[in-house]
């Protein structure tokens, strides 16, 4: 068994597809009616337009891992990703630090960029 998709309920599918594909950089693989499927690597990101979406107040967070998190952060920031905090250390394994910064999509879902650095 494995996780295949994470679904985000969105209020405006076109706006969310534009954000997650053009701003964040996911490739849309297909769409049909109220769904858009984005290539997230081993776990896909699916956007599902709902008639009414309650702002996301959950503790759920989409975490995007990068080999070069500093370069990814700079690139995404340059494309207009609205980071709420700057890239900063959030934990350590004793040798490396895990850097992270988070943002919200147009419907308030939290996502972050992370990466280990020496």
């Amino acid at each position: 068994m494995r996780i295949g998709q994470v679904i985000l309920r969105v209020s405006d599918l076109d706006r969310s597809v534009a954000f997650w594909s053009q701003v964040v950089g996911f490739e849309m693989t297909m769409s049909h009616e109220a769904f858009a499927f984005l290539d997230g690597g081993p776990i896909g990101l699916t956007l599902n337009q709902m008639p009414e979406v309650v702002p996301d107040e959950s503790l759920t967070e989409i975490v995007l891992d990068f080999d070069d998190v500093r370069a990814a952060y700079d690139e995404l920031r340059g494309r207009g990703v609205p980071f709420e905090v700057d890239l900063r250390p959030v934990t350590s394994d004793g040798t490396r630090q895990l850097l992270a910064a988070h943002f919200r999509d147009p419907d308030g879902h939290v996502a972050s960029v992370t990466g280990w650095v020496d």
Side-chain angles (χ1 to χ4, degrees):
M1 180 184 335
R2 65 182 172 85
I3 297 173
Q5 299 286 320
V6 171
I7 298 176
L8 297 180
R9 309 293 182 207
V10 301
S11 60
D12 182 324
L13 189 61
D14 292 335
R15 178 183 70 178
S16 292
V17 166
F19 178 80
W20 286 102
S21 63
Q22 297 168 12
V23 179
V24 178
F26 283 103
E27 179 183 339
M28 185 170 70
T29 58
M30 67 173 277
S31 65
H32 180 69
E33 296 177 357
F35 290 90
F37 299 87
L38 305 171
D39 183 358
I43 299 174
L45 179 61
T46 301
L47 306 174
N48 175 217
Q49 182 169 319
M50 302 293 289
E52 290 185 37
V53 174
V54 176
D56 188 355
E57 297 296 330
S58 72
L59 300 177
T60 303
E61 182 173 347
I62 306 257
V63 178
L64 310 174
D65 291 323
F66 292 92
D67 291 331
D68 186 344
V69 68
R70 289 182 179 110
Y73 172 78
D74 289 342
E75 180 181 336
L76 291 171
R77 197 166 159 204
R79 287 194 291 204
V81 170
F83 286 99
E84 295 181 347
V85 297
D86 290 330
L87 195 62
R88 75 225 182 271
V90 292
T91 193
S92 173
D93 66 3
T95 305
R96 303 170 300 160
Q97 289 186 320
L98 182 65
L99 301 183
H102 66 271
F103 61 91
R104 292 181 186 271
D105 78 354
D107 286 292
H109 301 105
V110 177
S112 62
V113 297
T114 65
W116 290 96
V117 297
D118 295 323

